[in-house]
Amino acid sequence: MKKKIISMLLAATLTFTLCSCGAVGLEAKGGQQEGGTEKEAEGKTGDSDVKIGILLNQASTQVISDMGNAMKDKAEDLGVDVTLMYYEMDVQKMITGIENFMTSGVDALIIHPMNASDGAEEIQKAYDAGIKVITFDTEPNCDFTNCFVASNEELGYEIGKQAATWAQENLVKNNITPVIGLVNEPSSEFLTQRETGIKKALDELLPEGEIVITGAGTTALAGQEAGENFLQAHPDMNVVVSINDDTMHGVYEAFAQAGLEKEEDRGLFSCDGTKKSKEYVAEGGIFKCVVDLELNKVGENMVDCAMKDVTGESSEYEKVNYFPMNPVTIENAEEALK
């Protein structure tokens, strides 16, 4: 009987080991999770002994996917061993990713929490274990080495200010009432802070207007659905503000499908600074302004910061580092695209 139990335990151990090896192989090759379509993990190996794990929130958000690619390229330039994973807005999956990276022996973690409490206990464990912890977009409720964030209410205020300034000049002066739609994301603290800033600017600078409808999301698909709903409920909508670029790309598509993309008295306003947004602005149509955060450069800086944290090299980075905020309008869009 004892021999039978021992044989069963050995078989179970072997099965677990093989499954674990299979999972590691998936990360290294950038494969797909079973049953899914999104790329879950990607890796590049450099020449140095420094290992960095990166956990970003959503591969389907173009600006985050682009930033992830920029981070991998920067790691390759530095000769750093990096593994990039997306947790697709699933906090438990983010926590599991942190635990797996700790087990694999990374020297630094770059993590993208959606809220300050998300995975805070596991992030603290990583920090206590001597891993350099850099967070993106959120300052967590635990110890960390560095974070790279927007001053989100200030950023939202800039989006709202750009929308209000345009509407005063192009709508209010022509006796046109601003009819405003807002794309937000209530599940995220930092995106809610942006929404707060947008509303504050509109209240102060465009009292003639009113937010008549909202829609939630972070992806182009969610933005398109919101845009279609906006136009169905309010065909005369002439101002849309959003907490990110991807949703505004979807809103733009909804307006374009309605034949409104060249309307002079309608305006779209967002932030991130993707190439697509800058191209829309440069066309001189309804996409009037995007606040450029230079996120690809921010991503590169996070990798550089992590490398310097691990090696002890002199670093110019602060504990908290804020994104740039550069409004791109028709006046400077061509230059921004360069």
Side-chain angles (χ1 to χ4, degrees), residues 58-68 244-246 249 271-274 295-296:
Q58 201 170 29
S60 55
T61 302
Q62 188 63 49
V63 68
I64 297 300
S65 179
D66 288 348
M67 186 183 75
N244 77 341
D245 269 359
D246 276 76
H249 297 164
C271 73
D272 280 337
T274 60
L295 291 183
N296 283 5

Side-chain angles (χ1 to χ4, degrees), residues 20-40:
S20 299
C21 292
V24 171
L26 178 65
E27 287 184 12
K29 294 178 181 178
Q32 294 180 348
Q33 184 182 31
E34 185 177 353
T37 59
E38 294 293 347
K39 191 177 291 183
E40 294 294 323

Side-chain angles (χ1 to χ4, degrees), residues 243-271:
I243 43 79
N244 77 341
D245 269 359
D246 276 76
T247 50
M248 193 56 84
H249 297 164
V251 172
Y252 179 93
E253 287 301 319
F255 275 66
Q257 288 175 10
L260 303 173
E261 72 273 21
K262 297 187 184 300
E263 295 285 300
E264 293 183 0
D265 58 356
R266 298 181 192 249
L268 311 183
F269 303 83
S270 69
C271 73

